[in-house]
Amino acid sequence: MAVANYLSIDVEDYFQVSAFEKVSPPDNWHNQPFRAERNTSLVLDLLAEKQTRATFFVLGWIARKSPALVKKISAAGHEIASHGFAHRRVSTQDRAAFRKDVRDSKMILEDLSGQQVLGYRAPSYSISYQTLWAYDELHEAGYLYDSSVFPMQHDFYGIPDWPRFAFNVGKQAGGDWCPLESQIETQTAMKEFPISTLRIGKRNLPIAGGGYFRLLPYPMTRWGLQHINETEKKPFVFYLHPWEFDPQQPRMNGAGWKSNFRHYLNLHKTEGRFRRLLDDFEFRPIGDEVKS
């Protein structure tokens, strides 16, 4: 049987990405053309065509701006999870601000969708060794799983020596949060679904979504993902954003060449590659694993 992988969509708009945070502050978001409804609806149509369900990590700001969009995602049978409220990296918040952010987004999404929100993904995968306290807040807020860890080196994120596949993360008395051995029992634990990487030599390389999906030729992506399924016998976690399907989105000025390269590269290829991905692999929402 084919491995059932985890498909996730991070619902944010083009002007909310971390790469543009210096040129597009939240107090100016209401002045930007809003394209999340259109782009997310396109993703929903593609998933309906392929009869595929996914996890949608929805920004609370988006939910408040377009409550009908959250209801539409939920009505189509997809899982609603939280991407926080204001797309602020965990490292830019103190604990009180983070607590409010993750609780507000959870409450809004549950009210609109009628679903219990089980999962969270931090903006820019920003749970790191410096922000492990975020698990305390997520656990206390009632989340059952997280999908914020990218086990690789990056200038914005990464815990490169943590496990590459789903694991329990927990906290023992007097200790910090860490991956748990199966025999360890603790009342303070969650499930972690890290973004999938490909192990080459001693390094973990990105293979499962976002800008990497647009950068690499699709046959290379497919080979890497098939290696995870067929050789390592594991499901992978794949992610995309609705704005990646929108080559006509307005251009943001002043962010610098690196940010522009990461954001705008090959936007016109996303839809075609995504169609091929849905044909080549089996997918399900992350929450199905937590509830099973």
Side-chain angles (χ1 to χ4, degrees), residues 123-152:
S124 296
Y125 315 103
S126 52
I127 290 183
S128 66
Y129 279 129
Q130 290 70 43
T131 56
L132 293 178
W133 51 262
Y135 284 117
D136 286 305
E137 298 300 336
L138 294 173
H139 185 266
E140 292 172 13
Y143 290 94
L144 300 184
Y145 76 85
D146 176 72
S147 184
S148 302
V149 170
F150 216 138
M152 60 168 282

Side-chain angles (χ1 to χ4, degrees), residues 120 127-129 131-136 138-139 143-149 159 162-163 165-172 176-182 184-194:
Y120 171 79
I127 290 183
S128 66
Y129 279 129
T131 56
L132 293 178
W133 51 262
Y135 284 117
D136 286 305
L138 294 173
H139 185 266
Y143 290 94
L144 300 184
Y145 76 85
D146 176 72
S147 184
S148 302
V149 170
I159 309 182
W162 274 26
F165 301 111
F167 60 94
N168 290 323
V169 59
K171 182 178 183 179
Q172 295 176 282
D176 213 337
W177 286 82
C178 62
L180 295 178
E181 300 293 341
S182 58
I184 295 177
E185 295 185 3
T186 174
Q187 295 299 311
T188 311
M190 297 176 64
K191 193 81 170 181
E192 176 64 45
F193 292 85

Side-chain angles (χ1 to χ4, degrees), residues 4-287:
N5 302 289
Y6 305 113
L7 180 59
S8 58
I9 308 296
D10 295 353
V11 183
E12 62 198 51
D13 221 332
Y14 65 96
F15 52 81
Q16 297 172 314
V17 302
S18 295
F20 295 153
E21 61 188 9
K22 292 183 179 179
V23 298
S24 181
D27 58 5
N28 193 47
W29 286 353
H30 67 282
N31 292 322
Q32 303 290 350
F34 186 63
R35 298 176 71 87
E37 285 180 344
R38 168 198 177 276
N39 296 329
T40 307
S41 293
L42 170 60
V43 176
L44 288 171
D45 289 344
L46 293 172
L47 294 176
E49 178 183 324
K50 303 296 185 179
Q51 297 183 315
T52 299
R53 296 168 55 242
T55 296
F56 284 71
F57 289 98
V58 183
L59 208 61
W61 190 95
I62 295 286
R64 182 167 288 175
K65 174 80 171 180
S66 180
L69 180 60
V70 177
K71 295 177 181 179
K72 183 176 183 179
I73 297 168
S74 181
H78 302 289
E79 179 191 7
I80 300 290
S82 170
H83 199 30
F85 185 85
H87 207 268
R88 294 183 60 194
R89 284 179 286 151
V90 181
S91 57
T92 68
Q93 303 177 69
D94 61 27
R95 287 188 64 155
F98 181 77
R99 182 181 305 126
K100 177 174 172 54
D101 184 275
V102 299
R103 294 188 181 210
D104 285 355
S105 63
K106 191 174 192 293
M107 179 182 65
I108 292 168
L109 293 170
E110 288 180 340
D111 286 347
L112 290 173
S113 69
Q115 299 183 23
Q116 181 185 3
V117 170
L118 306 176
Y120 171 79
R121 175 173 289 162
S124 296
Y125 315 103
S126 52
I127 290 183
S128 66
Y129 279 129
Q130 290 70 43
T131 56
L132 293 178
W133 51 262
Y135 284 117
D136 286 305
E137 298 300 336
L138 294 173
H139 185 266
E140 292 172 13
Y143 290 94
L144 300 184
Y145 76 85
D146 176 72
S147 184
S148 302
V149 170
F150 216 138
M152 60 168 282
Q153 292 282 5
H154 190 276
D155 52 355
F156 273 164
Y157 49 72
I159 309 182
D161 57 348
W162 274 26
R164 293 172 51 234
F165 301 111
F167 60 94
N168 290 323
V169 59
K171 182 178 183 179
Q172 295 176 282
D176 213 337
W177 286 82
C178 62
L180 295 178
E181 300 293 341
S182 58
Q183 69 268 24
I184 295 177
E185 295 185 3
T186 174
Q187 295 299 311
T188 311
M190 297 176 64
K191 193 81 170 181
E192 176 64 45
F193 292 85
I195 306 301
S196 294
T197 56
L198 188 65
R199 185 72 171 177
I200 302 293
K202 297 182 178 180
R203 297 188 63 186
N204 298 337
L205 300 179
I207 194 67
Y212 311 110
F213 186 58
R214 292 181 281 115
L215 172 65
L216 300 176
Y218 180 72
M220 186 178 296
T221 298
R222 180 176 58 201
W223 172 82
L225 297 177
Q226 286 175 337
H227 178 84
I228 292 172
N229 281 175
E230 298 171 8
T231 302
E232 299 189 84
K233 308 295 184 183
K234 294 288 188 179
F236 58 80
V237 176
F238 192 90
Y239 73 97
L240 277 175
H241 308 83
W243 56 260
E244 293 184 271
F245 292 79
D246 185 11
Q248 303 304 317
Q249 64 187 260
R251 265 29 183 188
M252 305 298 293
N253 297 318
W257 72 267
K258 184 186 291 187
S259 294
N260 287 335
F261 177 80
R262 288 173 172 172
H263 188 88
Y264 296 118
L265 179 70
N266 289 337
L267 294 176
H268 64 288
K269 295 184 178 181
T270 304
E271 182 177 342
R273 290 180 177 181
F274 188 61
R275 288 179 180 273
R276 295 177 68 182
L277 183 83
L278 296 179
D279 285 335
D280 289 337
F281 299 94
E282 296 292 329
F283 290 102
R284 60 172 172 160
I286 298 173

